[in-house]
Amino acid sequence: MRIVAIFTDKEGMKAHRAQYLQDHLDFLKIHGDEILIGGSLRDEHSGEQTGGMWVMEVDSYDRAHALIALDPYYAPARRGYILNAWGKAFDEPVVL
């Protein structure tokens, strides 16, 4: 199933992000078969990071929650999230 996670930064996330950036990027690479697309969200094109987004292909919502909990970026006091099922309009591959 395709699930989208929308992450929202809370107070202190900027320092947390700086500390765990490389670990987070390594985590995304390791789990690239399930986390298909990931990236930051900003308040404007080159503005401050406000959160992030993942598009996942996972077996269940439980697996999506588990992946998030394993991510070095995730700290409940620093980052919240919501999950939504996502249906792609067309089945053709997409290159970004």
Side-chain angles (χ1 to χ4, degrees):
M1 81 184 336
R2 289 187 189 114
I3 296 178
V4 174
I6 304 291
F7 299 97
T8 305
D9 288 358
K10 299 178 182 179
E11 187 175 334
M13 185 59 191
K14 185 175 183 177
H16 184 82
R17 182 183 289 109
Q19 182 178 355
Y20 291 100
L21 175 61
Q22 191 57 56
D23 293 337
H24 168 69
L25 295 175
D26 293 343
F27 174 84
L28 292 176
K29 284 182 184 177
I30 290 167
H31 296 282
D33 59 326
E34 293 177 293
I35 304 168
L36 307 179
I37 301 171
S40 64
L41 299 173
R42 298 170 184 273
D43 58 4
E44 55 185 70
H45 181 66
S46 60
E48 186 83 16
Q49 290 182 8
T50 59
M53 185 185 83
W54 292 355
V55 176
M56 295 178 273
E57 185 74 40
V58 291
D59 292 332
S60 65
Y61 273 90
D62 287 342
R63 179 59 182 159
H65 287 293
L67 280 169
I68 291 166
L70 293 170
D71 180 12
Y73 257 14
Y74 185 64
R78 306 278 179 255
R79 184 171 242 206
Y81 70 92
I82 61 168
L83 296 178
N84 287 291
W86 179 59
K88 199 171 113 178
F90 302 103
D91 284 330
E92 291 83 14
V94 175
V95 178
L96 301 176

